[in-house]
Amino acid sequence: MKLVLGRDDLAAAALSAARVAGSEPERVDIKPVHKASRGFVNQSDTELCELAIVTVLQALAYGKPVLLLPVTTLGRHQHQTLVTLGRLSVADVEGHSVGVRAWSQTTGVWMRGFLTEQYGIDLRKADWTTYEGHHVEGAEDPSWVKRAPQGSKLSADFIEGRVDFGIMGNELPSDDRIRTAVDRAHEAAEQWSKDQGFIPVNHVVGVSEAAAAEHPAAVLAAFDAMRSVLTAKEEGGDVALHPVGFEGLRGAFTKAAAYALEQDVIPRAVDYDELVERTCTALGVPPARLGG
């Protein structure tokens, strides 16, 4: 059973637990971890893989054999990811150009959701540019979004002024001129999470339908081991940074699915309980076994 997990502590725990459960697990080292998504979703070239939450939603909507193992490997605030170099603010998004690495990038989905829900922005009144395609075969950018010329880089276009705003997380370049477009972004993000009762989850764990059917004991053991690691390291606060279990992830998945649908990231509505049912059926367990 091949595993792709970005965090060393979670990978070590999952490998050890799966081995004890009778499997012969192998960690596949792919960096950055999101580059493993396409092969996992479309070719099932690994059995257990760290995935962006929106990739899971797209996989379900497009009928891919992907299940959710409800473990958060990356949760973080997102309001600070909309950046600008000039004097523009979040109120100026309409009528200006905005770059985002990929339309289905989870950071972008969260930030665009905040733009519409909190700031009243009509996304179709901004000039959107993407730089990569989707991890899930069959998914395409909306007709109102343009693709940058081949070879273009978001960071360069942003720094050199070819786009007015950028939505960037880990890929944010180092430049003293960069500032967040949302005023007091971290405070806004903390208040949003407090009001919603959950943090914007970025990455979770996917498992292939074949692996769930062939190695259910190993998959469940890996879940238990990762849950133990995350629970032990969870810091106190109003909301969990790395929620685990179906109920723990319900709020984030439901909100992300609503945002993804209104942004034309997914072709149909995705009900979270559909994910829960498919995973539990494949593993032969009730929802309570996986925290739900």
Side-chain angles (χ1 to χ4, degrees):
M1 188 167 71
K2 293 181 179 179
L3 291 71
V4 179
L5 293 166
R7 287 180 50 168
D8 292 339
D9 55 350
L10 295 180
L15 286 167
S16 178
R19 193 171 293 115
V20 170
S23 181
E24 295 182 1
E26 171 192 355
R27 185 185 186 186
V28 181
D29 189 20
I30 299 177
K31 296 179 181 178
V33 72
H34 72 80
K35 290 188 177 297
S37 301
R38 187 170 284 106
F40 171 76
V41 170
N42 302 301
Q43 286 82 43
S44 299
D45 59 5
T46 54
E47 282 72 44
L48 189 147
C49 184
E50 182 171 333
L51 293 177
I53 190 172
V54 174
T55 302
V56 176
L57 292 170
Q58 278 193 323
L60 180 61
Y62 283 94
K64 304 298 183 181
V66 173
L67 307 172
L68 170 66
L69 204 59
V71 174
T72 300
T73 59
L74 176 62
R76 70 179 183 202
H77 293 305
Q78 303 283 7
H79 284 71
Q80 75 283 357
T81 62
L82 180 68
V83 294
T84 182
L85 292 174
R87 302 178 66 179
L88 299 173
S89 75
V90 64
D92 300 308
V93 168
E94 291 184 11
H96 288 85
S97 56
V98 190
V100 62
R101 177 172 59 82
W103 193 248
S104 57
Q105 183 185 18
T106 295
T107 296
V109 171
W110 281 121
M111 191 63 235
R112 291 192 302 267
F114 304 151
L115 289 176
T116 58
E117 192 170 65
Q118 290 185 275
Y119 302 102
I121 301 297
D122 183 342
L123 297 179
R124 288 164 176 77
K125 292 183 179 180
D127 181 15
W128 293 95
T129 299
T130 61
Y131 293 77
E132 296 179 11
H134 302 249
H135 294 313
V136 179
E137 290 179 354
E140 297 181 355
D141 289 354
S143 60
W144 43 280
V145 173
K146 70 179 181 182
R147 181 65 54 84
Q150 188 171 1
S152 300
K153 298 293 184 183
L154 170 58
S155 57
D157 280 359
F158 175 69
I159 292 296
E160 295 169 16
R162 286 185 287 276
V163 293
D164 301 312
F165 294 93
I167 298 179
M168 290 180 275
N170 294 336
E171 68 269 37
L172 183 68
S174 178
D175 191 304
D176 292 340
R177 297 174 296 164
I178 297 173
R179 65 182 185 81
T180 58
V182 174
D183 188 37
R184 296 191 295 274
H186 288 283
E187 293 177 24
E190 289 177 358
Q191 187 61 53
W192 185 90
S193 289
K194 184 177 180 179
D195 292 343
Q196 297 289 330
F198 58 84
I199 200 161
V201 170
N202 257 48
H203 289 186
V204 291
V205 178
V207 60
S208 69
E209 289 184 349
E214 296 170 15
H215 311 286
V219 171
L220 291 169
F223 167 79
D224 291 340
M226 289 187 286
R227 176 176 57 184
S228 294
V229 169
L230 293 171
T231 300
K233 294 185 176 182
E234 187 65 47
E235 299 178 359
D238 293 322
V239 295
L241 183 61
H242 293 95
V244 179
F246 284 130
E247 283 309 304
L249 280 164
R250 180 176 292 276
F253 258 95
T254 301
K255 179 65 78 173
Y259 285 168
L261 183 64
E262 72 179 15
Q263 297 168 25
D264 293 339
V265 175
I266 52 178
R268 66 170 178 87
V270 171
D271 188 330
Y272 183 61
D273 286 318
E274 185 180 351
L275 270 171
V276 175
E277 181 179 356
R278 290 179 69 244
T279 299
C280 291
T281 298
L283 289 170
V285 296
R289 175 64 179 83
L290 293 167

